Amino acid sequence: MQSKKKIRVLIAKPGLDSHDRGAKVVARALRDAGMEVIYTGLRQTPEQIVETALQEDVDVIGLSILSGAHKALFPRIMELLSQKGLTDVMVFAGGIIPEEDIAELKKIGIKEIFGPGTPTETIIKYVLENVPERA
């Protein structure tokens, strides 16, 4: 009997904010749901996040940001993912992201945005239902 590959998720904190409670809660929830989760820790550059995603061969990246720098950091991460050929990695985001910025972030490839108070079950369900099949 062949076992199904576990979903590999990178939870990353881009930028300079140091509030990572939400990222840790999401990381633990995804792990408890049976996924392999790698957490980058605080203050990661877009280059560090993309390099970790590449080295860890992740299926999903979850970005957490509270600093308001999402309009600068998220496009750079998406650009680097494209340059590295990681276009089949699903990216979602969470944190303090104004409603008026969400459409713009989805246009650059962020698949979903989860605001504060989103039940972890909602995030787990979204990942399970939307993770792309990879070779």
Side-chain angles (χ1 to χ4, degrees):
M1 184 170 149
Q2 189 174 18
S3 64
K4 190 171 179 178
K5 178 184 169 250
K6 280 188 173 187
I7 297 169
R8 291 180 60 84
V9 182
L10 177 68
I11 298 295
K13 286 287 300 175
L16 299 177
D17 81 63
S18 59
H19 301 281
D20 65 347
R21 187 167 146 192
K24 288 178 178 174
V25 168
V26 170
R28 184 176 184 140
L30 295 174
R31 185 204 64 193
D32 291 350
M35 299 176 208
E36 291 186 36
V37 179
I38 300 105
Y39 174 54
T40 63
L42 296 169
R43 299 182 186 97
Q44 299 294 300
T45 65
E47 289 78 8
Q48 290 171 316
I49 291 167
V50 171
E51 188 60 33
T52 302
L54 183 63
Q55 289 179 6
E56 295 290 344
D57 191 28
V58 297
D59 304 294
V60 178
I61 299 173
L63 301 170
S64 172
I65 197 160
L66 302 172
S67 67
H70 55 277
K71 289 173 77 175
L73 296 172
F74 289 2
R76 179 69 180 142
I77 291 167
M78 298 309 290
E79 177 185 316
L80 290 168
L81 286 170
S82 179
Q83 287 176 7
K84 296 283 185 178
L86 298 174
T87 55
D88 57 346
V89 174
M90 181 177 78
V91 180
F92 71 87
I96 307 297
I97 297 172
E99 192 71 32
E100 61 266 22
D101 294 344
I102 290 176
E104 185 179 330
L105 295 173
K106 286 187 173 180
K107 259 193 235 174
I108 64 167
I110 307 288
K111 295 296 183 193
E112 192 56 81
I113 309 288
F114 299 103
T118 301
T120 54
E121 295 82 12
T122 301
I123 299 169
I124 292 165
K125 184 174 187 259
Y126 184 83
V127 170
L128 290 173
E129 290 177 354
N130 292 285
V131 66
E133 286 288 326
R134 299 180 73 210

